[in-house]
Amino acid sequence: MKTRLMNPALWAVGLAVVTFAGPTAGDEINVYSYRQPPLVEPLFARFTEDTGIDVNVTFLNKGMIERLQAEGDRSPADLILTVDISRLNGIVEAGVTQAVESAVLNESIPSEFRDPDNHWFGLTARARIVYASKDRVADGEVTTYEDLASDNWKGRICIRTGTHPYNLALTSALIAHDGEDAARAWLEGIKSNLARKPQGNDRAQVKAIHAGECDISIGNTYYMGLMLKNEEQVAWANSVRIVFPTFESGGTHVNLSGMAMTAAAPNRENAVKLMEFLASDEGQGIYAETNHEYPLSPGIPLSQLVESWGSFEADSLDLIDVAKLRPMALRLVEEVDFDG
Ligand code: FE
């Protein structure tokens, strides 16, 4: 029994991967994943080792809802894995998932991190924080998300596109705290502080800090772990430190990765087993140790690296409320021509 990873090379260049001839039943499970191969492979390998159930993974980076809708009842997919509360919410709202009643899941995942109707379940949290140049940013200089729009940061900020789900979730949370007008002004302020047009992924911004193009960037916490493991990127990682900003009236912005069972799920029983494994102490431990994410199940130790960043207070906004503000966040990003 082995875990089969399907066409990660195609995934990497952004093509939808067609890998299934049709529905299958037996000792296997089919996963559609927006999460990258290195992040999920260790988990599936362990699950297969423990259970003898093969995990077939199709890696996607867009169009999951459209694909599930087109496949309908004949979809081979059992389980979807994704990041971002809006994506989890969107997939459920599109009607392509089903509820899962599981005492194990309800015990492992605190209620604020799962759908009240049991369609999606959070697996890990990640904070969206500031990467700050060790040389050019003073201790205590980074304070709130709101302050990133102040003149102190003129020409000093690098960030990925404003329409990326991670940034839309942050903007949504800012709207929830400060209101629409303040959020528009905030986006304009950050735009006027950028050292260059939004481009690249979260790690590309840290590379730019290392190159001296900017002094701070906004990124997710676990990328520090990924950069430290990468020969080319370790120097980028070592040029910055992680700082946890807060909202003026709240804590540090966090987002989720999570899972949902598809409506079609030909291997429903196996899918429940995999879901329960991912939420188990073993699964959550791998997320913490290998991916440097924050496990949602209480009592799972953080990795040493994550521990070393120090503690922070997570913002207390209801993430489902944040997800509902996504359309407004997108409209504001477009109104101020954030990426232009
Ligand atoms: Fe990511």
Side-chain angles (χ1 to χ4, degrees):
M1 296 291 176
K2 64 183 192 336
T3 298
R4 290 195 294 270
L5 297 173
M6 297 200 169
N7 296 336
L10 285 180
W11 167 85
V13 296
L15 301 174
V17 181
V18 180
T19 47
F20 298 99
T24 49
D27 247 4
E28 63 180 355
I29 171 171
N30 301 317
V31 178
Y32 284 1
S33 178
Y34 272 148
R35 304 219 64 193
Q36 308 175 17
L39 297 178
V40 292
E41 200 280 333
L43 289 151
F44 296 153
R46 183 72 62 83
F47 174 73
T48 299
E49 214 174 283
D50 288 357
T51 62
I53 299 168
D54 280 349
V55 181
N56 308 310
V57 194
T58 301
F59 292 102
L60 306 166
N61 66 2
K62 58 180 175 188
M64 192 183 290
I65 289 176
E66 294 74 12
R67 182 165 174 160
L68 288 167
Q69 284 174 333
E71 290 169 344
D73 291 348
R74 291 172 303 113
S75 176
D78 299 294
L79 189 66
I80 64 108
L81 288 180
T82 185
V83 293
D84 183 50
I85 183 65
S86 289
R87 278 183 163 167
L88 286 166
N89 216 40
I91 284 169
V92 171
E93 279 179 358
V96 292
T97 59
Q98 63 175 295
V100 175
E101 307 300 332
S102 159
V104 176
L105 290 179
N106 292 350
E107 236 167 69
S108 313
I109 309 297
S111 60
E112 64 266 37
F113 300 128
R114 51 185 157 85
D115 175 33
D117 297 322
N118 292 321
H119 275 254
W120 63 260
F121 296 83
L123 285 167
T124 61
R126 59 278 298 294
R128 193 143 184 81
I129 51 83
V130 165
Y131 285 102
S133 164
K134 283 178 182 167
D135 298 334
R136 300 185 299 278
V137 178
D139 273 340
E141 195 175 347
V142 176
T143 54
T144 61
Y145 293 105
E146 285 88 344
D147 178 66
L148 299 177
S150 77
D151 286 345
N152 178 51
W153 301 107
K154 201 59 76 193
R156 299 174 71 190
I157 302 179
C158 283
I159 193 167
R160 79 192 306 166
T161 163
T163 57
H164 189 276
Y166 297 162
N167 282 339
L168 285 177
L170 177 61
T171 300
S172 300
L174 196 116
I175 295 169
H177 279 293
D178 301 340
E180 180 178 353
D181 291 342
R184 185 187 294 104
W186 181 72
L187 288 167
E188 276 168 347
I190 298 230
K191 183 183 175 186
S192 73
N193 286 343
L194 294 181
R196 60 179 192 177
K197 278 188 185 185
Q199 59 194 271
N201 57 23
D202 280 357
R203 280 182 273 185
Q205 317 312 319
V206 180
K207 179 184 184 183
I209 295 173
H210 177 246
E213 279 184 74
C214 34
D215 295 344
I216 61 171
S217 70
I218 296 174
N220 286 353
T221 40
Y222 53 88
Y223 287 116
M224 178 63 104
L226 291 175
M227 288 186 289
L228 288 169
K229 272 192 275 191
N230 181 305
E231 220 175 286
E232 186 201 351
Q233 299 172 2
V234 65
W236 314 347
N238 285 328
S239 73
V240 295
R241 63 180 189 279
I242 282 181
V243 188
F244 296 96
T246 64
F247 293 105
E248 277 170 8
S249 60
T252 298
H253 175 63
V254 295
N255 204 329
L256 301 181
S257 80
M259 61 184 171
M261 188 184 288
T262 66
N267 304 291
R268 193 176 189 286
E269 258 174 60
N270 288 346
V272 172
K273 279 186 198 158
L274 180 54
M275 293 174 91
E276 291 178 348
F277 170 79
L278 295 175
S280 71
D281 288 2
E282 192 179 13
Q284 291 281 292
I286 295 173
Y287 274 119
E289 208 42 61
T290 310
N291 293 1
H292 301 296
E293 296 182 82
Y294 294 90
L296 292 183
S297 181
I300 308 295
L302 302 177
S303 77
Q304 249 182 15
L305 176 69
V306 174
E307 194 84 61
S308 76
W309 301 332
S311 60
F312 66 95
E313 198 184 318
D315 194 39
S316 59
L317 285 177
D318 185 333
L319 284 172
I320 296 175
D321 293 339
V322 172
K324 286 182 187 145
L325 289 166
R326 184 187 187 279
M328 189 188 287
L330 181 59
R331 176 166 55 74
L332 294 181
V333 165
E334 285 168 351
E335 265 175 37
V336 308
D337 191 21
F338 189 82
D339 295 335

